[in-house]
Amino acid sequence: MDLRVVRETVGALWAREALAGLSEFVRIPALSPAFDSDWARRGQLHAAVEQVRSWLAERPIEGARTEIVELPGRTPVLLLDVPARSAATEETVVVYGHLDKQPAAGEWSPGLDPWTPVLKDDRLYGRGAGDDGYAAFAAAVALEASQAAGGSHARTVVLLETGEESGSADLPAYLDHLAPRLGTVGLVVCLDTAGADYERLWLATSLRGIAFADLTVRVLDAGVHSGHGSGIVASSFRVVRQLLDRIEDSATGRTLLPECGAEPPADRLAEVRTAAAEGFLTPTLPLAEGVRTVTDDPVELALNNTWRTTLSVTGAEGLPPLQDAGNVLRPYTSLKLSFRLPPTVDAAAALRAITRVLTSDVPYGARVRIDRAEAASGWNAPPMAGWLTSALDTVSAEVFGKPWRALGLGGTIPFLGQFGHAYPRAQFVVTGPRGPGNNAHVPDEWLHLPQTERVSEALAHILHAHATAA
């Protein structure tokens, strides 16, 4: 494969055509179903799928076919199916992206708008540009550049779902439906994560799982004057505190339930220590004046954020606003509990353990209710094959000029666990051009275009390496 041709083709395609196509995609308010319950009637998700399908269909990629697949009652999926080219393997490569979007999420800066593409200082602003509309265009650019440069690739299927921002609820059904067509999947490339800078290739190698539930503790059928009832009936808030103390050591944040914990494997510890030595571990956070992080050890901070369980209270009911709060012993307290779980923990088992300790032997016989309890397991990348390590080293030298790095992510992306379950023998490359300050999910979302070109170029290298590894 002619590396010079790959680079020139990638640059020309992004400048000429991919940027224009992605800009048109930004204009479509294709909200994910979690934010638009009437999505099917409004047709914006379908409009986004059709816009990207039309762009992909015009690409001169040898043998490529586009298809929209829509199972009854589910969000649509767009496929770009490209036959193998001079490949030494019969495996299939699946390249993942998604076309659904978050809502505007507040006021954008002057001159910017969520549904108006704005190109400024090597950035494309607009909702969906970085999360995750670029993926379709980057995948097509990589395939086109590879073919133009005489490169090889296995059969490659670009799979673009439209429910990722709603938890990818429909994706397992599509993976089952498409399994006979996809055959043996040997490589999964997920273009939907972020790195710690815009200078090198970043791979995500783990994501935490999640369990969440609404906890309600009730002690009265109606509120009473606190002077009349306090000391006779326990405060519902005090009962909540006692219950949570069964799960978390409030002094250290350590989780006390064995079902919720797991030790990081040796390769992940090595990644953390390498990143710590280079200063790439924890995001910059808007700490209030005088507030310290929970430890000064960067390795411990990274492990806390990626391989240890954390409990966050993300909502509450039964507590009136301060200006309306009188001297009342309140009848109940409700809290939304959000647990981030280590990547290898069985999230369903963790949620069962959490529910058990919150509802058993409750102090004072208080009434406890658990509502809207859900869980999703995390993901830990399989051991990396030699051909992939070699390819990443080559990409880092030829494309980025700096060594690639891997990191765990503290969030939860359900589709990765679903892919890991569907393709247990596949190699995974989980990457993307997003980095610090890209503003995914919040106002002023933007995509770093030079890094997007480099990731597209890297993908062409990786596809060629996979196809010729045998």
Side-chain angles (χ1 to χ4, degrees):
M1 188 170 68
D2 189 323
L3 305 187
R4 179 184 59 81
V5 172
V6 171
R7 176 165 298 173
E8 291 176 353
T9 304
V10 166
L13 286 174
W14 269 107
R16 276 199 325 263
E17 298 168 64
L19 180 57
L22 180 56
S23 296
E24 288 305 307
F25 171 78
V26 166
R27 297 184 186 277
I28 304 171
L31 296 185
S32 196
F35 308 102
D36 183 4
S37 60
D38 203 18
W39 64 268
R41 185 188 65 81
R42 291 188 209 279
Q44 297 293 354
L45 278 180
H46 288 93
V49 168
E50 178 55 31
Q51 186 264 334
V52 175
R53 188 207 65 78
S54 296
W55 190 89
L56 292 174
E58 295 175 356
R59 306 317 313 151
I61 301 172
E62 183 180 319
R65 295 182 298 109
T66 61
E67 180 182 358
I68 299 171
V69 182
E70 188 164 1
L71 297 176
R74 297 189 183 276
T75 51
V77 163
L78 174 59
L79 302 177
L80 173 68
D81 195 337
V82 183
R85 189 171 192 267
S86 305
T89 177
E90 294 184 359
E91 293 180 342
T92 300
V93 177
V94 173
V95 181
Y96 170 91
H98 68 87
L99 302 177
D100 57 316
K101 305 181 184 183
Q102 289 273 332
E107 290 292 322
W108 288 46
S109 296
L112 300 179
D113 178 86
W115 318 120
T116 302
V118 174
L119 182 61
K120 181 181 179 182
D121 298 331
D122 286 333
R123 299 177 178 183
L124 177 65
Y125 288 85
R127 180 63 84 224
D131 188 18
D132 184 42
Y134 76 85
F137 300 91
V141 165
L143 286 162
E144 195 169 336
S146 173
Q147 292 189 356
S152 301
H153 57 76
R155 180 194 175 199
T156 302
V157 178
V158 182
L159 189 157
L160 305 165
E161 69 157 318
T162 56
E164 193 276 341
E165 301 292 3
S166 302
S168 297
D170 294 337
L171 185 59
Y174 280 109
L175 294 181
D176 287 343
H177 176 73
L178 296 170
R181 293 171 54 180
L182 294 179
T184 301
V185 175
L187 173 63
V188 177
V189 180
C190 294
L191 297 174
D192 189 24
T193 58
D197 66 15
Y198 296 99
E199 298 179 359
R200 69 194 72 214
L201 184 68
W202 288 92
L203 268 64
T205 50
S206 67
L207 292 126
R208 286 192 291 185
I210 191 169
F212 52 89
D214 296 347
L215 167 68
T216 298
V217 172
R218 179 176 287 276
V219 295
L220 296 167
D221 290 329
V224 299
H225 193 290
S226 61
H228 180 66
S230 62
I232 299 174
V233 177
S235 159
S236 62
F237 195 87
R238 180 158 69 89
V239 176
V240 167
R241 287 164 55 196
Q242 289 179 267
L243 292 176
L244 294 183
D245 281 346
R246 299 174 174 181
I247 296 174
E248 179 192 57
D249 181 340
S250 61
T252 64
R254 183 173 64 90
T255 301
L256 305 177
L257 301 182
E259 295 90 341
C260 294
E263 290 298 317
D267 53 351
R268 300 293 169 256
L269 279 172
E271 290 171 359
V272 168
R273 288 169 178 150
T274 296
E278 298 178 349
F280 291 120
L281 276 183
T282 54
T284 300
L285 301 175
L287 295 176
E289 184 177 355
V291 174
R292 302 185 304 275
T293 54
V294 298
T295 176
D296 293 329
D297 185 335
V299 172
E300 288 300 303
L301 287 177
L303 293 174
N304 286 348
N305 186 239
T306 58
W307 277 91
R308 290 178 183 147
T309 301
T310 55
L311 166 61
S312 300
V313 175
T314 60
E317 289 182 356
L319 295 153
L322 294 179
Q323 64 269 25
D324 299 333
N327 293 319
V328 175
L329 182 63
R330 297 177 298 101
Y332 74 95
T333 299
S334 293
L335 300 179
K336 177 170 282 297
L337 307 178
S338 175
F339 297 86
R340 296 289 180 175
L341 304 169
T344 53
V345 160
D346 182 333
L351 181 57
R352 288 194 296 270
I354 291 165
T355 301
R356 183 183 69 249
V357 300
L358 291 176
T359 57
S360 301
D361 192 24
V362 179
Y364 309 108
R367 290 163 49 193
V368 173
R369 192 176 75 241
I370 302 292
D371 296 306
R372 298 193 296 179
E374 295 186 38
S377 293
W379 170 80
N380 184 42
M384 192 172 290
W387 72 262
L388 181 53
T389 301
S390 177
L392 294 172
D393 290 342
T394 299
V395 162
S396 296
E398 298 288 344
V399 179
F400 293 87
K402 292 188 176 183
W404 62 277
R405 289 291 179 253
L407 74 171
L409 300 181
T412 306
I413 304 179
F415 73 77
L416 271 171
Q418 294 165 8
F419 274 111
H421 177 76
Y423 312 125
R425 297 181 180 179
Q427 290 288 287
F428 279 77
V429 174
V430 182
T431 189
R434 296 202 309 270
N438 67 86
N439 285 5
H441 295 196
V442 298
D444 299 354
E445 176 183 338
W446 51 269
L447 177 69
H448 191 282
L449 294 172
Q451 183 74 343
T452 304
E453 290 187 21
R454 289 189 285 269
V455 168
S456 302
E457 187 179 348
L459 178 54
H461 283 256
I462 292 168
L463 292 175
H464 179 76
H466 169 258
T468 57

